Amino acid sequence: MSDPNLIHYLSTRRTVPSISLGEPGPDNDTLAKMLEIAARVPDHGKLAPWRFIIYDITKGTTIGQRLSAIWLSKEQDATEDRVEAERNRFQRAPLVVGVISSARPHKIPEWEQVLSAGAVCLNLLHAAQAYGFKAQWLTEWYTYDDEAARFLGAEDGERFAGFVHIGTPTIDPVERARPDLATKTTYWNV
C-alpha cells in the first residue's frame, strides 16, 4: 500500500542553502537519532565504510581561520570577499556533519563502499527534514584538498563524501528545474 505522505515528501523535497539555515539546530539527542537514520543505508558486506565528524558552530571561527589560510596559500590573488567567505564556511548553519568515506580494500568493491557513504549523506538530509530541520549537502574545495581534509579530520585513505549543513530554514525552499527524465531513461532491449 502506498504512503501518500512519504510520496509527497519525496516528490517535493528541496534543499535550503546553508547560508539560509539559522538557529536552532538539532540538540545532541536529536542529532544522535538523525545519525541513526542516516546510517540505515545499503551496505554490502556490513562494512559501515563511513563515519561522522560533528562541527559545532562554536568551532566555526577556528575552522574558518585555518581554511582561509590554506586557501590563501594556494590562491594568493584571492579577493578579501573570497577570504571572508572561507572564514565563514562553518558558521553558515548551526551544525555541520562531515561524512567521511572510509572505503578500504575488501572483496566488496571500493565503488560500492563509496556509494554507501553517499547514501548516508542523502539519508541525513531526509533525517534532518523528519526532525523539522532543513539541510544542504555540500562538497566544496576543502573536500578535495588533502591539507584541509586532514585539518577537518580525514585520516589516511579517507575522503569526505561531503558536509551536511543543518539548521532551521530562514527562507522557504525554492523549486528548481528538474531534468527531463525521458532523456535520462532507456529500456534495455536485446
Side-chain angles (χ1 to χ4, degrees), residues 43-123:
D43 178 10
H44 189 187
K46 299 178 188 142
L47 301 176
W50 32 260
R51 64 185 182 88
F52 303 106
I53 300 177
I54 310 304
Y55 307 94
D56 176 302
I57 196 168
T58 62
K59 307 289 190 253
T61 300
T62 301
I63 294 169
Q65 288 171 344
R66 183 69 180 128
L67 288 181
S68 63
I70 294 169
W71 176 259
L72 271 173
S73 74
K74 298 168 193 304
E75 302 287 335
Q76 288 88 17
D77 296 334
T79 65
E80 183 52 40
D81 286 345
R82 180 60 191 260
V83 173
E84 185 64 20
E86 298 309 329
R87 282 188 199 113
N88 293 321
R89 292 281 182 200
F90 282 73
Q91 296 180 63
R92 297 178 286 191
L95 183 73
V96 179
V97 177
V99 179
I100 292 273
S101 171
S102 54
R104 58 192 179 274
H106 193 273
K107 69 179 183 179
I108 305 304
E110 179 184 0
W111 179 239
E112 289 186 32
Q113 296 179 54
V114 171
L115 290 173
S116 185
V120 166
C121 292
L122 182 59
N123 256 14

